[in-house]
Amino acid sequence: MDIRKYFDYNPILDLTAAQIGINKWDWFSINNENETEALELMKKNRFDVLPISQNGKILKYFSTREWNIYNNLNLTKIGEGDTIYYRLSFIDLVRKFNKEERHFYFLTNYQEILGLVSYVNLNCQAVYNYLYEVFADIEQSIVYLLKKHIEQNDIIKEFKKSNDKHLEAVVRNFDESLKTGSDNSIFEHMYLQTIGITLNKFVNTLPVEFKILNKFSSKFSANGLYSQLRNKVMHPVRPILNEKETMQKIDELLKDYLEIKEILR
């Protein structure tokens, strides 16, 4: 037996539509086409989609005409455009949601309906964990690059002559840690915001193939895309998706993530 394999940690970001959504054995459904009954059930439970199960088959569904608005319902026969493969990746699911501007899909194995995934399902723990891993990977990968090509003393000098309160605080915290005898570096005191600033200030110090990373630097800022989403991820009792625009932001983050990983590779 090769014991060494138990010492290796090789995380793989793998999340599918099925793991996010709800399966047909656990979901709420209705066995008739009574719109009044359906509307009451959907409004009470904050459902935007309600499958109709008749004789063991799911061929139609009720849905809100606008996400989270419970005035009138549509009664629709499930068509090809309403379905996706149940093992579709999270990245492709988000891209599909964003591109097609839909808020739900039925999950299928091309033979039968197996479940449902909608906007509300993206507020589950699996999505929080996935996005946390994305941010952790971005931060660690870029900091490793900066640490490899930029001298610590150059960063400290640059930060000290800045009027930016954030950079002043980073240097101050680093100096305080040195007084306690802590063996650390300025990089260990960086935040998401600091990484973007450092990337921008020292882009010319990086090898030519990594200079393109600077186009992402503004998204690390306090009001940038990455910080906005990271704040949501770090507070899991709050919904990630509380507005339609968030789907577009998540899609942009995941596109950037794949590009950043390709550049660093």
Side-chain angles (χ1 to χ4, degrees):
M1 180 175 68
D2 184 6
I3 296 178
R4 289 178 298 177
K5 66 180 180 180
Y6 294 104
F7 288 83
D8 295 332
Y9 176 61
N10 298 305
I12 299 176
L13 286 175
D14 183 24
L15 185 61
T16 66
Q19 293 169 324
I20 299 168
I22 185 169
N23 64 68
K24 68 177 182 178
W25 299 277
D26 293 332
W27 68 15
F28 278 90
S29 63
I30 193 171
N31 60 8
N32 59 67
E33 298 180 9
N34 186 311
E35 182 174 339
T36 302
E37 182 181 343
L39 184 59
E40 183 179 348
L41 182 61
M42 293 170 71
K43 191 173 183 179
K44 178 182 178 181
N45 294 281
R46 308 296 293 177
F47 294 154
D48 283 286
V49 185
L50 183 64
I52 300 172
S53 180
Q54 296 177 311
N55 302 317
K57 294 183 178 180
I58 303 148
L59 303 176
K60 297 181 180 180
Y61 63 93
F62 284 107
S63 65
T64 54
R65 295 179 183 178
E66 188 175 349
W67 179 48
N68 226 18
I69 303 297
Y70 300 92
N71 293 331
N72 298 291
L73 301 179
N74 287 331
L75 173 59
T76 311
K77 183 177 180 180
I78 298 176
E80 185 176 345
D82 298 315
T83 65
I84 58 173
Y85 184 48
Y86 76 110
R87 294 181 64 183
L88 186 73
S89 73
F90 174 62
I91 289 179
D92 289 333
L93 173 64
V94 169
R95 190 160 300 169
K96 195 170 178 66
F97 268 137
N98 187 40
K99 183 179 179 180
E100 299 183 359
E101 298 184 343
R102 289 181 58 105
H103 61 271
F104 72 91
Y105 291 101
F106 285 95
L107 305 177
T108 177
N109 60 357
Y110 303 122
Q111 296 177 325
E112 61 177 321
I113 300 297
L114 299 175
L116 173 73
V117 64
S118 66
Y119 270 10
V120 68
N121 298 125
L122 269 70
N123 291 320
C124 67
Q125 184 177 351
V127 172
Y128 280 95
N129 291 343
Y130 185 98
L131 293 178
Y132 176 81
E133 289 283 349
V134 167
F135 281 117
D137 197 9
I138 289 176
E139 288 187 43
Q140 290 179 338
S141 298
I142 293 184
V143 165
Y144 176 78
L145 176 72
L146 298 176
K147 193 173 183 178
K148 184 177 180 180
H149 296 285
I150 305 172
E151 292 294 329
Q152 174 172 275
N153 288 338
D154 292 339
I155 292 178
I156 294 172
K157 288 178 183 178
E158 183 69 27
F159 284 8
K160 282 186 174 180
K161 67 181 183 182
S162 171
N163 293 322
D164 189 317
K165 299 292 185 182
H166 170 75
L167 298 184
E168 291 176 0
V170 170
V171 174
R172 185 168 57 251
N173 292 336
F174 173 64
D175 287 340
E176 289 296 324
S177 69
L178 292 180
K179 292 176 183 178
T180 64
S182 299
D183 184 15
N184 57 24
S185 72
I186 191 70
F187 297 96
E188 294 173 25
H189 293 265
M190 288 186 175
Y191 298 87
L192 198 64
Q193 180 181 351
T194 328
I195 294 171
I197 294 172
T198 307
L199 187 59
N200 182 259
K201 285 182 176 291
F202 291 91
V203 62
N204 292 327
T205 307
L206 299 176
V208 63
E209 65 267 27
F210 299 124
K211 293 183 188 297
I212 192 175
L213 288 170
N214 191 42
K215 71 177 183 177
F216 302 108
S217 59
S218 63
K219 298 183 183 182
F220 286 88
S221 68
N223 296 317
L225 174 72
Y226 302 162
S227 293
Q228 291 177 30
L229 290 177
R230 191 176 187 274
N231 287 340
K232 287 177 176 286
V233 172
M234 297 308 294
H235 296 90
V237 294
R238 304 175 190 172
I240 292 178
L241 201 75
N242 54 5
E243 56 184 5
K244 289 183 179 180
E245 290 75 15
T246 307
M247 187 65 71
Q248 182 180 348
K249 293 176 181 178
I250 295 174
D251 187 27
E252 185 176 345
L253 165 69
L254 296 176
K255 286 178 182 177
D256 288 357
Y257 175 61
L258 294 179
E259 187 175 350
I260 288 170
K261 292 300 290 182
E262 185 63 31
I263 293 170
L264 293 175
R265 185 176 292 120

